[in-house]
């Protein structure tokens, strides 16, 4: 036992002597990539597929050890063909990863000073007021705000509008007797670009069963693009937001306004009152004074 322990310690000592700082960096990179891969598998619908692939690889190795040549050859060939199949099956997930990497690491090339803060604040107020009015009347709505990922293909499924944002326009589009009320509205560069659009449904199997098609569609778009999706429930009037595959439900107008400003108004914007843009705040203040 002592001799075995001495050999182990000698091996560890020799390994440490041969270890370079580049090797440490290498191991950290591999550990980080494996961690991200495991998180991706856990949070996606691909978990069961990955388990199946790992099972096939284990079976292939066992067949090789047992020298079952024909079976081993068939399974090995299946793995080689499966590499192409994996790329096809995981195309949405791979696209989402690459989009995320591009947004996080190449955002330094985007000139954010071009954003008109006054326009952003005004439209945030208009969207907040619209959501509150639709919520009060329990009128279903699905509003998608385009960011870096273009929604041109989504727009083609609906009717092009190209109009400025206004409370009257948005509430009329989502009026339950209007022809475009069932689809999604696309907002691009603070203009209503299209309405009545069809969105991809979420493939998340863990979302609540009481959510309807409107919420599933909004969540689905947020899973494959970086769009900010505003949803108003027709059944309850609840206000929700979908972003990055995450659904935030039962928001107040004030919380919605804060989320919109956080996402679309640069942090270095000078603090200024937005109450002049929000009639519902002004009205409540007047009522309080009385």
């Amino acid at each position: 036992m002592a001799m075995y322990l001495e050999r182990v310690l000698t091996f560890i000592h020799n390994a440490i002597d041969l270890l370079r700082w580049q090797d440490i960096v290498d191991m950290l990179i591999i550990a980080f990539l494996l961690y991200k891969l495991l998180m991706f598998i856990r949070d996606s619908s691909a978990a069961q597929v990955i388990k199946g692939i790992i099972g096939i690889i284990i079976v292939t190795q066992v067949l090789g050890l047992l020298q079952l040549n024909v079976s081993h050859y068939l399974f090995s060939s299946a793995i080689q063909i499966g590499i192409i199949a994996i790329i096809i099956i995981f195309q949405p997930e791979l696209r989402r990863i690459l989009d995320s990497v591009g947004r996080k690491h190449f955002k330094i090339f985007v000139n954010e000073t071009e954003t008109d803060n006054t326009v952003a604040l005004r439209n945030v107020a208009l969207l907040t007021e619209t959501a509150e009015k639709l919520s009060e009347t329990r009128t279903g709505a699905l509003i998608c705000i385009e960011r870096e990922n273009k929604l041109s293909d989504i727009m083609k499924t609906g009717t092009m509008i190209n109009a400025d944002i206004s409370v009257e326009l948005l509430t009329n589009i989502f009026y339950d007797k209007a022809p475009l009320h069932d689809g999604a509205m696309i907002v691009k560069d603070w203009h209503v670009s299209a309405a009545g659009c069809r969105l991809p449904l979420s493939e998340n199997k863990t979302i609540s069963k009481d959510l309807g098609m409107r919420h599933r569609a909004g969540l689905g778009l947020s899973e494959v693009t970086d769009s900010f999706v505003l949803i108003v429930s027709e059944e309850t009037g609840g206000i929700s937001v979908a972003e990055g595959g995450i659904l935030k439900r039962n928001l107040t107008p004030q919380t919605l306004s804060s989320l919109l400003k956080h996402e679309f108004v640069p942090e270095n914007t000078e603090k200024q009152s937005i109450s002049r843009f929000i009639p519902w705040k002004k009205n409540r203040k007047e009522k309080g004074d009385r």
Side-chain angles (χ1 to χ4, degrees):
M1 182 68 181
M3 184 180 296
Y4 176 76
L5 182 59
E6 183 179 352
R7 288 180 180 178
V8 172
L9 293 174
T10 302
F11 173 78
I12 295 174
H13 184 268
N14 292 335
I16 293 175
D17 289 340
L18 294 174
L19 194 64
R20 307 173 302 159
W21 68 267
Q22 292 93 335
D23 298 323
I24 296 175
V25 174
D26 244 350
M27 289 186 287
L28 290 174
I29 291 173
I30 296 300
F32 175 76
L33 292 176
L34 287 175
Y35 169 76
K36 286 294 184 181
L37 178 62
L38 290 174
M39 292 300 100
F40 163 71
I41 293 172
R42 188 193 68 175
D43 297 335
S44 71
S45 58
Q48 298 302 321
V49 178
I50 295 294
K51 291 178 183 177
I53 293 171
I54 294 174
I56 292 175
I57 293 174
I58 294 173
V59 170
T60 303
Q61 296 301 317
V62 172
L63 292 174
L65 292 174
L66 296 176
Q67 297 183 354
L68 301 175
N69 297 329
V70 176
S71 299
H72 181 263
Y73 172 77
L74 291 175
F75 273 82
S76 299
S77 301
I79 291 175
Q80 295 175 8
I81 299 173
I83 294 174
I84 301 175
I86 289 172
I87 297 175
I88 296 173
I89 293 171
F90 294 147
Q91 185 269 336
E93 286 82 2
L94 293 172
R95 176 182 173 182
R96 186 175 63 190
I97 292 173
L98 294 175
D99 284 342
S100 176
V101 171
R103 291 196 303 271
K104 291 180 180 177
H105 299 288
F106 298 102
K107 197 172 182 179
I108 56 174
F109 297 105
V110 179
N111 184 6
E112 292 186 353
T113 59
E114 296 178 359
T115 304
D116 187 338
N117 297 331
T118 303
V119 172
L121 285 169
R122 182 173 66 249
N123 284 289
V124 163
L126 291 173
L127 287 173
T128 303
E129 183 187 355
T130 299
E132 186 182 32
K133 288 193 173 183
L134 293 173
S135 175
E136 290 174 349
T137 59
R138 294 193 177 184
T139 302
L142 186 54
I143 302 173
C144 312
I145 305 176
E146 181 188 84
R147 292 201 277 199
E148 292 182 34
N149 296 148
K150 303 304 178 185
L151 302 178
S152 302
D153 293 339
I154 300 292
M155 295 180 194
K156 292 177 182 177
T157 65
T159 300
M160 302 304 294
I161 295 179
N162 192 25
D164 292 333
I165 295 176
S166 69
V167 177
E168 293 76 16
L169 174 64
L170 270 59
T171 52
N172 275 286
I173 286 177
F174 289 113
Y175 175 60
D176 60 2
K177 298 296 189 296
L180 302 177
H181 80 281
D182 269 339
M185 174 187 293
I186 308 298
V187 173
K188 177 179 180 180
D189 297 329
W190 296 121
H191 285 80
V192 180
S193 295
C197 302
R198 296 191 299 273
L199 304 183
L201 296 179
S202 172
E203 297 181 1
N204 188 344
K205 307 299 183 184
T206 63
I207 58 177
S208 177
K209 294 182 179 180
D210 64 344
L211 294 178
M213 298 297 288
R214 185 174 284 109
H215 288 82
R216 293 177 184 273
L219 188 60
L221 183 67
S222 75
E223 290 173 349
V224 297
T225 73
D226 63 346
S227 301
F228 185 97
V229 186
L230 169 60
I231 309 164
V232 179
S233 171
E234 185 175 357
E235 288 76 18
T236 65
I239 299 173
S240 303
V241 162
E243 184 182 15
I246 298 175
L247 185 67
K248 300 176 183 178
R249 304 176 62 186
N250 301 319
L251 306 178
T252 64
Q254 291 82 359
T255 303
L256 174 62
S257 178
S258 298
L259 288 174
L260 286 167
K261 284 189 285 185
H262 179 268
E263 294 297 330
F264 297 102
V265 181
E267 293 180 0
N268 60 356
T269 302
E270 295 183 2
K271 292 183 179 180
Q272 54 182 305
S273 174
I274 196 174
S275 60
R276 61 192 179 94
F277 295 132
I278 308 181
W280 54 267
K281 275 193 174 182
K282 185 176 179 182
N283 293 340
R284 288 178 183 176
K285 185 176 181 181
E286 291 174 356
K287 288 179 180 178
D289 294 339
R290 294 177 186 175

